[in-house]
Amino acid sequence: MNDLILNTNTLPEPLLRLIDADKVRIRKEGKMVTMMPLEEPFDCVAGLRGMLARNKAISVDKFLERKHADKELDL
């Protein structure tokens, strides 16, 4: 009872239209073959902002410049 995981782009076109996932799990039990779509786990870090963001496009100097501008507005 081994599972096989395939990319859906390797499936024939009629099956590809039925599945809304990038990968499928194929399981064979006796003479029955089942295909189950695999959902990718939700990436909870993708939407982080500030210093926890993954792909920061802001330099340290730019960050400090903004922080100083914020402090001046508070005064």
Side-chain angles (χ1 to χ4, degrees):
M1 188 189 309
N2 293 333
D3 291 352
L4 178 66
I5 297 177
L6 293 175
N7 286 328
T8 53
N9 58 5
T10 62
L11 297 174
E13 180 63 31
L15 293 176
L16 184 60
R17 282 186 268 141
L18 296 173
I19 299 171
D20 288 338
D22 292 332
K23 296 181 181 179
V24 291
R25 175 177 292 166
I26 300 175
R27 177 180 289 176
K28 182 179 179 186
E29 297 177 15
K31 293 185 177 184
M32 181 190 296
V33 177
T34 57
M35 293 176 50
M36 296 173 283
L38 287 178
E39 297 294 328
E40 295 293 326
F42 178 70
D43 188 7
C44 60
V45 197
L48 292 180
R49 299 176 199 256
M51 63 186 242
L52 297 176
R54 283 187 182 175
N55 298 323
K56 294 185 266 186
I58 185 170
S59 67
V60 173
D61 294 331
K62 195 69 147 172
F63 174 77
L64 291 174
E65 183 180 309
R66 288 183 185 178
K67 289 301 273 183
H68 289 297
D70 287 346
K71 282 186 180 182
E72 287 178 11
L73 289 175
D74 288 342
L75 296 176

